[in-house]
Amino acid sequence: MRKALLMAAITAAATCNLTPAIAETKVAETELEAIELQLETLKKEHETRIQVLEARLLKTKEDSTGQSNFNPAISLILDGRYASFDNNPEEYELPGFALGGEAGLGENGFSVGHTELIMSTNVDDKFFGQMTVAIAEHEGSTEVELEEAFIQTLGLGHGLTIKAGRFFSEIGYLNNQHAHSWNFIDAPLIYRGLFGNQLIDDGVQLTYVVPIDLFLQIGTEASSGSRFPAGGTTNDVGAWTVFADIGGDLGIEHSWQFGLSHWQANNIEGRESGGHAHGAGGGGEETPSFSGDSKINALDLVYKWAPNGNPKNKHFKLQFEYFSREENGAITMLNSGPPVETSSYDGDQNGWYLQAIYRFKSQWQTGLRVDRLSSNNTGSDSDVLAEAGLDDEGHTPERISVMVEWLPSEFSRIRLQYNRDDSYEEPDNQLFLQYTMSLGSHGAHPF
């Protein structure tokens, strides 16, 4: 009996001693499970947040570059306008300049301007490609033109870039910019007189950025010369361009760029222009045709100011370009019948424009532009030169333009512009109301 009681007492004592240890073990196990659960929850939360951040980063990259890894960036530029002219736009001329390309004024009243469809993307890590299709209404019919189609190298190294295909030439400052990015609805008079608005050609371009503190770019182009202002039919290199641009900053609020360029086409054959027909010629009308050599020299200067270096709410831009052209050869009036009318031709033409743009509020800016041209063309038959539009008629073409525009965002613009155009004998008051809308991603514009 005593022995049984003693064993019961020992067992009870042992049980009492083990209970706290077991309880502590269970508490520890519960706390460990709780910590592991919290850790797993945190891992899941962090993984979710990381995935969200990665997705945002990818979208931001796509938005900023305007393209994805799989699809080209697509941009559609919508342009519409209302125009009012005192004179008949079909009778427009620039005395001393035989107009070609798209040098006309456009139509009175409401019309759709150039609609542009732009597709671009990195082909791979070596090449970038872009295509621009222009859609426009002309004399009641819709015309589709391949405006640009080129490839461009990426990461070639040593400051070198090669572009090949159809592209805007780097001559001057404004020429390589799409019309929808211009500060005025129309091209400067000298661009209209020399290029028929813009110089575009098929060829190859090489540029080199010199590794110095200032921005210094030099380059050259070799092109077919099959488009105006060369305009001849060639099977080889028909035109050459060389150019150089240098620029930099003056503090954080001021920046500048200065450029020189030269374009030349030798042995041009049969470049047609409008003469007094004011178009590209053709049909049964007499059309001037030029054969010979042509060269153009250009100088451009751009200055920009923005308070504290931020142009969003306020900035000022001053832009100046000067061009001169020399031509030697012969002018033949096509469709003139026998005897064929021909004259030797020695052309000397030049012109400049100066424009100032001031953004006085975040969504409003205004601008002023002054154009002036002159020419001194001579030849063996003054009547032929007059019929070709190369007689200055004792007149100096000039024009003053003012505009104001509302920019609700970087993708939309409403512009009102007035020109006092004294291009020929009868001064013309011209009024334009234009909208320009950009749909989709679009690359940044140059300096």
Side-chain angles (χ1 to χ4, degrees), residues 29-43:
E29 289 176 351
T30 303
E31 185 175 356
L32 182 61
E33 290 175 355
I35 293 175
E36 289 177 344
L37 180 61
Q38 291 178 7
L39 183 60
E40 189 66 26
T41 302
L42 286 174
K43 283 182 179 181

Side-chain angles (χ1 to χ4, degrees), residues 146-176:
L146 182 62
E147 192 170 83
E148 289 181 299
F150 64 85
I151 60 169
Q152 183 173 309
T153 59
L154 298 172
L156 195 60
H158 308 290
L160 293 171
T161 302
I162 298 174
K163 181 187 291 187
R166 177 172 299 177
F167 51 84
F168 293 104
S169 172
E170 286 286 336
I171 188 171
Y173 172 76
L174 194 66
N175 189 78
N176 69 349

Side-chain angles (χ1 to χ4, degrees), residues 219-237:
T220 185
E221 298 167 354
S223 55
S224 68
S226 60
R227 298 164 67 92
F228 196 86
T233 301
T234 63
N235 295 318
D236 203 341
V237 176

Side-chain angles (χ1 to χ4, degrees), residues 107 136-143:
E107 301 178 0
E137 191 84 7
H138 181 66
E139 297 182 352
S141 61
T142 301
E143 297 181 351

Side-chain angles (χ1 to χ4, degrees), residues 255-274:
S255 57
W256 60 276
Q257 181 174 294
F258 174 75
L260 293 172
S261 48
H262 173 82
W263 175 91
Q264 184 167 330
N266 297 327
N267 302 317
I268 296 172
E269 295 183 7
R271 181 190 72 196
E272 296 185 16
S273 55

Side-chain angles (χ1 to χ4, degrees), residues 6-16:
L6 180 60
M7 289 299 296
I10 292 172
T11 302
T15 302
C16 291

Side-chain angles (χ1 to χ4, degrees), residues 272-324:
E272 296 185 16
S273 55
H276 285 287
H278 316 114
E285 299 179 343
E286 291 189 18
T287 304
S289 174
F290 168 74
S291 296
D293 301 333
S294 179
K295 59 182 179 181
I296 300 173
N297 294 310
L299 176 153
D300 61 84
L301 178 63
V302 179
Y303 163 77
K304 293 183 178 182
W305 167 82
N308 299 315
N310 181 9
K312 182 178 181 181
N313 296 321
K314 183 181 293 185
H315 68 253
F316 174 78
K317 179 181 179 182
L318 189 67
Q319 182 175 318
F320 171 80
E321 289 193 78
Y322 171 83
F323 290 83
S324 67

Side-chain angles (χ1 to χ4, degrees), residues 12-78:
T15 302
C16 291
N17 290 334
L18 286 173
T19 299
I22 294 172
E24 288 176 4
T25 300
K26 289 184 177 180
V27 170
E29 289 176 351
T30 303
E31 185 175 356
L32 182 61
E33 290 175 355
I35 293 175
E36 289 177 344
L37 180 61
Q38 291 178 7
L39 183 60
E40 189 66 26
T41 302
L42 286 174
K43 283 182 179 181
K44 291 181 179 180
E45 290 178 353
H46 279 292
E47 287 175 356
T48 302
R49 292 179 63 186
I50 289 172
Q51 290 174 357
V52 171
L53 289 173
E54 287 177 341
R56 287 177 58 190
L57 177 62
L58 180 61
K59 186 178 186 303
T60 302
K61 284 182 177 180
E62 292 177 1
D63 292 342
S64 62
T65 59
Q67 60 192 33
S68 70
N69 292 329
F70 304 102
N71 300 312
I74 299 177
S75 175
L76 181 64
I77 306 298
L78 300 179

